[in-house]
Amino acid sequence: MSYSEKLIQKVKEMYILDHKARVHIDKTQHSINVFFSDMKFKLRIVEEKTDEINIRINEAVQGVFAQIMIKQTVLSFERTPNGTILVQLKNGGEMTTELDTLGWDGSRVASERYDKEFTIPLLNSYLKEAFHEMLF
């Protein structure tokens, strides 16, 4: 096989892998949006009556696309330019803490922190970490 053929094959492989990663990260972002849209719907009456609770869902490809704020604590999900999803926590005026990074590992969207595939129960883990101490 000539070098040009090897180069063409490698570029095609990289494109296919990059495309798969984008598709799976997009699906993960959609799952997170659906999860928080459901929460927003269930908390809509409370959210209308106070400014201490706010759930935002954006369809932005990059940037913060979902966040929930209760009192001064904010849990947010941000799509980075390199295609990962950062899970961040901000308490009041304090600095932002990165809870996790979700990224494509070649076969699945995985949590760096938990070293396992992203699933909806992970969202509950993030919620608990962000709000349990304050609310319970």
Side-chain angles (χ1 to χ4, degrees):
M1 183 184 300
S2 71
Y3 185 78
S4 65
E5 290 170 329
K6 287 180 184 178
L7 181 81
I8 290 166
Q9 182 178 350
K10 184 65 175 176
V11 169
K12 282 183 177 180
E13 288 171 4
M14 287 174 22
Y15 172 78
I16 290 168
L17 183 63
D18 186 52
H19 178 72
K20 283 183 182 179
R22 270 196 315 273
V23 167
H24 288 281
I25 291 290
D26 286 349
K27 287 179 182 179
T28 300
Q29 180 174 338
H30 177 73
S31 296
I32 293 168
N33 283 347
V34 168
F35 181 87
F36 284 107
S37 293
D38 183 59
M39 282 188 69
K40 183 173 182 68
F41 178 76
K42 291 175 181 174
L43 289 171
R44 69 188 179 282
I45 293 172
V46 176
E47 195 175 12
E48 290 170 1
K49 298 194 182 295
T50 181
D51 60 354
E52 290 189 335
I53 296 174
N54 186 0
I55 299 173
R56 281 190 21 228
I57 296 107
N58 298 326
E59 294 299 324
V61 174
Q62 289 183 12
V64 174
F65 63 87
Q67 76 176 26
I68 178 169
M69 180 192 77
I70 300 176
K71 300 194 179 193
Q72 296 299 313
T73 301
V74 179
L75 176 65
S76 65
F77 296 80
E78 179 180 357
R79 180 88 173 253
T80 66
N82 68 356
T84 61
I85 296 174
L86 299 178
V87 183
Q88 299 174 327
L89 178 62
K90 184 174 183 179
N91 291 319
E94 295 178 26
M95 290 182 53
T96 301
T97 304
E98 189 174 306
L99 295 182
D100 203 356
T101 301
L102 305 174
W104 179 250
D105 71 1
S107 61
R108 64 190 180 157
V109 174
S111 158
E112 283 184 8
R113 178 179 181 184
Y114 296 103
D115 194 28
K116 65 180 186 178
E117 185 172 10
F118 170 81
T119 57
I120 295 300
L122 275 179
L123 294 175
N124 285 309
S125 297
Y126 303 141
L127 286 169
K128 184 176 182 180
E129 185 167 351
F131 303 112
H132 185 76
E133 199 172 293
M134 173 192 0
L135 296 174
F136 296 96

